[in-house]
Amino acid sequence: MFAPKSIHFQYSDNLPRRARQGLQNMLLHAPLKDSERNKILLAVTEICTNYIRHSQTKPTQIQLNMSWSKTLFQLNIDDNGSPIPDDFEISSLDDLLAAEPNTSGYGMAILKSEFDLCDYQRFADQQKNSWQLSLFIADTSQRYKIAIIDDDALQLNMLNMYLEEHQTFLFDSPISAYDWLKHNHVDIIVSDVYMPEMDGLAFRERLRDISHLNTTPFIFLTADNQEALESNIFRSDIDDFILKPVQKTKILNVIERVIQRSHNLLLQAYTLLDSEVKQQLRKPIDAAHKNDRYRMASFSRSAHIGGGDCWHIETNQDKNNVHAILCDVMGHDIKACFNASRLHGFIQAMSTLPLCHLDAPSYSLQLFNATNTWLSKSAPEIITTMQCLSIEKEQIYLTNSAGLPPFIISQNGHLASLPITGPLLGLYSDPDFSPTPVMMDVGESILLFTDGLVEVPNKPEEEQQRLKHLSEQIQYAKRHHHPLAECIETFLEEIPLNDDISVILIEKIA
């Protein structure tokens, strides 16, 4: 097993969120797929939520321990709170599953179904509860794509033999290698320094013209151990170099180390950039948007790096007019995040124009038409949904360009869908956007959301179950006069992440 990683928490009401955030950073080091990471985050959310809902004695300390080998990932969660009630005589997880209807919603059946190994134990002498969750994982060793350039045929064949477990592309000329690399991706480039047509340093410089190779690691092979050459190599932004004669174990180790280091640096950069961009795209609704007749709240969760969710809230000076705009740019990667940032900037720019002084239906029409024109002429690569809820005193209008139908929530918590009023933005040159008037009484709410809230890819039954669960949670909150915002936040913490989720809640209070 690799060295275990641990993180400790003290009990608090926002424990599920804090534990998820802490674990997300730890999971960056583990050899897991996104789907496997989401399972683990779900488990932590479920168990930490149970501390809040069901523990008679709240734990003062919670510890998460994570370790893995090439074939097994293991997560241990220990706490010093009260155990699962002894009334149910639970000696194994199977007993817990059988007793689940009586355990007031411990909700552990999902853990049994999602993990290969799952067990709960109570150590009375240590006053400790312990959950052990394990996943069998595929061997993380993989075949890399490696371009090798050397004018020595014997050296080239020897390297090919040393790297037979990987996919190699052999070139006896840097010029032929350059022509091939212009149209192909590799994980790493290994090149000799001294070659007759073009030396390795010049070859490295020429590769800078190929944009898709800008972050590709580069290793030099050389028989020269002079300090001047070493200085030139590192000034040329080379990741490492290997002295000839090349040993098999040496080149395998260097390639693995350089690729992993490159991946880790890119991941750290993307994570930081992703966090900074999303903070601007999904700013929490604050007191600046307070309205005497409507209460607003926003929620956001990210499934992975990238994603195209963004929102913008616009209010006029007397706060009689409120416009809540929610968009979901197509795509799930870092490029979608940048495209969302471009769209968000355009929408913000529009808010500085006389547009914000228009009445509610005119505002929506102008905004949607202007955005569609901008996308068609200046950003044809961006396709997006857009929902806009415009409130003007007692008048409310919804314009929904291919977003999932928002929910209107009745006073008793029942959900009803509002319509889609137009196509995806950026697809058609002259689409028809028709704002729809919405009747809303005191005590009712509207929920705008992106597709991550209810969609489960290729699993319609799970989608229905999730929607049913959301409806039940909202009805329960309404019956017991619990804040609806807290209900939505709790629901978001409990569900597994398949896609980014953005939610705007508007409640009519007067």
Side-chain angles (χ1 to χ4, degrees):
M1 299 288 280
F2 287 83
K5 299 180 182 296
S6 299
I7 189 167
H8 301 261
F9 295 95
Q10 293 184 336
Y11 177 83
S12 68
D13 287 341
N14 66 347
L15 176 63
R17 177 184 295 170
R18 290 175 54 237
R20 284 181 62 92
Q21 290 173 340
L23 193 62
Q24 277 179 319
N25 293 330
M26 290 170 59
L27 285 172
L28 291 176
H29 304 280
L32 298 172
K33 300 176 182 177
D34 286 342
S35 60
E36 293 167 332
R37 288 191 176 95
N38 288 338
K39 288 181 183 181
I40 294 158
L41 293 171
L42 170 64
V44 170
T45 300
E46 189 70 43
I47 292 171
C48 289
T49 301
N50 283 330
Y51 295 149
I52 296 172
R53 290 181 173 175
H54 304 303
S55 290
Q56 295 179 357
T57 303
K58 306 299 182 188
T60 57
Q61 292 291 330
I62 299 97
Q63 179 174 339
L64 278 63
N65 298 309
M66 184 177 75
S67 59
W68 66 87
S69 67
K70 288 187 175 182
T71 57
L72 182 68
F73 176 92
Q74 187 165 298
L75 175 70
N76 289 84
I77 305 175
D78 298 332
D79 71 87
N80 61 353
S82 56
I84 292 173
D86 290 333
D87 314 12
F88 304 112
E89 298 180 351
I90 296 166
S91 59
S92 70
L93 191 66
D94 287 334
D95 295 333
L96 174 60
L97 297 173
E100 190 155 73
N102 305 314
T103 56
S104 303
Y106 270 83
M108 295 302 169
I110 190 170
L111 302 185
K112 182 69 172 181
S113 64
E114 293 289 345
F115 286 83
D116 298 300
L117 299 172
C118 183
D119 196 21
Y120 164 84
Q121 287 183 294
R122 170 68 177 178
F123 298 95
D125 57 333
Q126 302 176 41
Q127 294 294 302
K128 182 177 79 171
N129 303 300
S130 182
W131 284 97
Q132 185 181 86
L133 307 169
S134 300
L135 284 172
F136 293 121
I137 56 179
D139 190 338
T140 56
S141 62
Q142 57 180 309
R143 285 167 54 86
Y144 295 128
K145 292 183 177 180
I146 306 172
I148 307 173
I149 301 93
D150 198 314
D151 62 312
D152 184 335
L154 183 62
Q155 178 80 6
L156 202 59
N157 289 330
M158 183 185 69
L159 292 172
N160 187 43
M161 182 177 64
Y162 285 173
L163 301 172
E164 61 183 352
E165 64 188 75
H166 300 288
Q167 186 177 4
T168 56
F169 304 91
L170 309 179
F171 303 93
D172 60 7
S173 158
I175 294 176
S176 61
Y178 176 83
D179 290 338
W180 184 86
L181 286 166
K182 283 193 298 186
H183 308 288
N184 293 277
H185 292 263
V186 291
D187 296 303
I188 192 167
I189 299 169
V190 180
S191 174
D192 189 19
V193 173
Y194 297 113
M195 295 177 285
E197 293 179 313
M198 179 190 303
D199 68 32
L201 293 169
F203 174 59
R204 177 70 183 97
E205 285 300 313
R206 191 170 180 185
L207 288 181
R208 296 182 190 280
D209 298 336
I210 304 176
S211 59
H212 67 258
L213 296 179
N214 284 344
T215 59
T216 303
F218 195 103
I219 295 175
F220 266 151
L221 304 174
T222 179
D224 196 334
N225 197 17
Q226 295 179 7
E227 290 185 5
L229 176 61
E230 182 176 330
S231 176
N232 285 334
I233 284 174
F234 285 107
R235 278 205 302 270
S236 299
D237 194 26
I238 305 302
D239 295 275
D240 212 330
F241 70 98
I242 301 173
L243 293 175
K244 296 179 180 180
V246 179
Q247 297 177 342
K248 180 178 180 179
T249 54
K250 175 72 173 178
I251 192 169
L252 286 172
N253 290 337
V254 169
I255 285 175
E256 182 66 31
R257 184 182 73 244
V258 168
I259 288 180
Q260 289 305 316
R261 182 175 64 198
S262 176
H263 285 178
N264 289 339
L265 288 173
L266 281 175
L267 184 59
Q268 291 173 22
Y270 283 159
T271 301
L272 179 62
L273 188 60
D274 183 68
S275 174
E276 292 294 324
V277 171
K278 284 179 179 175
Q279 285 182 14
Q280 301 303 315
L281 297 182
R282 308 171 195 175
K283 286 185 176 180
I285 294 174
D286 54 24
H289 304 109
K290 186 176 180 181
N291 187 289
D292 292 336
R293 289 171 292 111
Y294 297 93
R295 181 166 50 223
M296 303 177 68
S298 59
F299 315 90
S300 179
R301 286 181 66 198
S302 294
H304 37 60
I305 293 176
D309 289 9
C310 63
W311 67 63
H312 176 70
I313 309 298
E314 184 65 41
T315 57
N316 63 0
Q317 289 185 345
D318 58 13
K319 298 185 180 179
N320 284 328
N321 290 17
V322 179
H323 308 285
I325 303 158
L326 178 63
C327 302
D328 185 2
V329 172
M330 298 296 101
H332 301 291
D333 54 11
I334 196 73
K335 183 177 180 181
C337 197
F338 278 110
N339 283 337
S341 184
R342 295 168 62 193
L343 174 64
H344 189 257
F346 177 82
I347 294 171
Q348 286 183 310
M350 291 293 294
S351 69
T352 66
L353 302 175
L355 179 69
C356 59
H357 301 296
L358 298 173
D359 59 52
S362 299
Y363 175 96
S364 297
L365 279 174
Q366 292 281 6
L367 173 66
F368 278 66
N369 284 318
T371 304
N372 192 74
T373 299
W374 173 73
L375 291 172
S376 300
K377 293 184 176 180
S378 303
E381 70 278 12
I382 301 177
I383 298 175
T384 185
T385 68
M386 181 186 285
Q387 302 173 53
C388 178
L389 194 72
S390 294
I391 301 172
E392 180 183 9
K393 296 182 180 178
E394 297 301 319
Q395 301 294 318
I396 302 174
Y397 292 88
L398 171 71
T399 310
N400 180 8
S401 178
L404 288 180
F407 293 135
I408 185 164
I409 304 171
S410 69
Q411 294 172 343
N412 58 13
H414 290 289
L415 306 182
S417 293
L418 295 172
I420 297 173
T421 62
L424 278 167
L425 288 168
L427 281 184
Y428 304 102
S429 59
D430 189 24
D432 179 31
F433 302 111
S434 303
T436 298
V438 179
M439 301 302 297
M440 193 174 176
D441 295 327
V442 174
E444 294 185 333
S445 306
I446 290 177
L447 204 64
L448 303 176
F449 54 91
T450 56
D451 50 12
L453 179 69
V454 294
E455 283 196 347
V456 182
N458 304 316
K459 296 182 179 179
E461 292 182 0
E462 287 189 26
E463 285 186 6
Q464 292 301 316
Q465 285 297 112
R466 184 181 292 188
L467 184 56
K468 180 181 178 183
H469 181 51
L470 173 62
S471 178
E472 290 171 348
Q473 294 285 82
I474 290 175
Q475 290 177 40
Y476 180 89
K478 285 284 190 177
R479 285 197 305 271
H480 294 82
H481 306 290
H482 292 170
L484 192 53
E486 290 184 11
C487 167
I488 300 297
E489 186 170 25
T490 300
F491 176 80
L492 293 180
E493 293 291 347
E494 290 179 345
I495 62 175
L497 279 172
N498 300 303
D499 192 1
D500 284 8
I501 303 174
S502 296
V503 178
I504 297 175
L505 174 67
I506 301 102
E507 303 177 82
K508 188 168 184 179
I509 55 178

